Amino acid sequence: MRLALILALVAPPALADIVVATRTIRANSLIGPGDVSATPGEAGGFLSDPAEAVGRESRVTLYAGRPLRAADLGSPALIERNQIVTLNYLTEGLSISADARALDRAGAGDRLRVMNLSSRTTVIGEVAADGSVHVGPGDVQ
């Protein structure tokens, strides 16, 4: 009787559609419609709609048949490591632009470390849709 009570209290896992890779996808690859599909499975933190993955970039290697998490994907990279980018410092009424070297890869909306080529100062800014990096007060490391 005690075992039956314990089994009655344990809820079965929630089943829902989850997104899985249809093939092995290397890190830093764009995800296309044929690269992912929905399949029944446990919903524990996995993507549930293939449209959430299509057009995004894999941050890690994704293996065929394994479910995808949101953290496994990101915006497609606009900036590659060591690329020269425009650094824009924006504050109340002041705008300064300079050339900088990207210290990592990043996509629109990502935070990116860059080194100002004039001052050799490293700052962290946000990547804009045009591929420039915007920083403000307090972003200097």
Side-chain angles (χ1 to χ4, degrees):
M1 179 160 156
R2 185 176 219 160
L3 180 61
L5 180 60
I6 292 172
L7 290 176
L9 295 176
V10 176
L15 293 179
D17 279 347
I18 59 171
V19 177
V20 297
T22 57
R23 63 178 184 85
T24 299
I25 302 167
R26 292 181 179 266
N28 304 329
S29 298
L30 283 177
I31 310 264
D35 296 332
V36 294
S37 66
T39 186
E42 287 186 39
F46 301 113
L47 296 179
S48 59
D49 182 8
E52 295 175 285
V54 174
R56 311 266 334 256
E57 184 177 89
S58 61
R59 296 277 189 221
V60 296
T61 299
L62 305 171
Y63 295 98
R66 295 215 180 140
L68 277 60
R69 297 182 189 276
D72 296 338
L73 307 174
S75 301
L78 294 174
I79 298 172
E80 295 293 331
R81 180 180 167 89
N82 290 324
Q83 181 178 332
I84 304 301
V85 297
T86 300
L87 177 63
N88 295 312
Y89 178 83
L90 306 168
T91 189
E92 302 169 15
L94 177 66
S95 175
I96 301 172
S97 294
D99 287 335
R101 181 175 306 280
L103 301 178
D104 295 303
R105 282 179 101 240
D110 290 344
R111 303 278 293 164
L112 176 67
R113 286 182 327 119
V114 297
M115 182 181 65
N116 182 322
L117 294 178
S118 299
S119 67
R120 301 285 188 222
T121 302
T122 301
V123 296
I124 298 174
E126 185 172 325
V127 177
D130 66 358
S132 63
V133 178
H134 297 274
V135 297
D139 288 328
V140 178
Q141 284 187 335

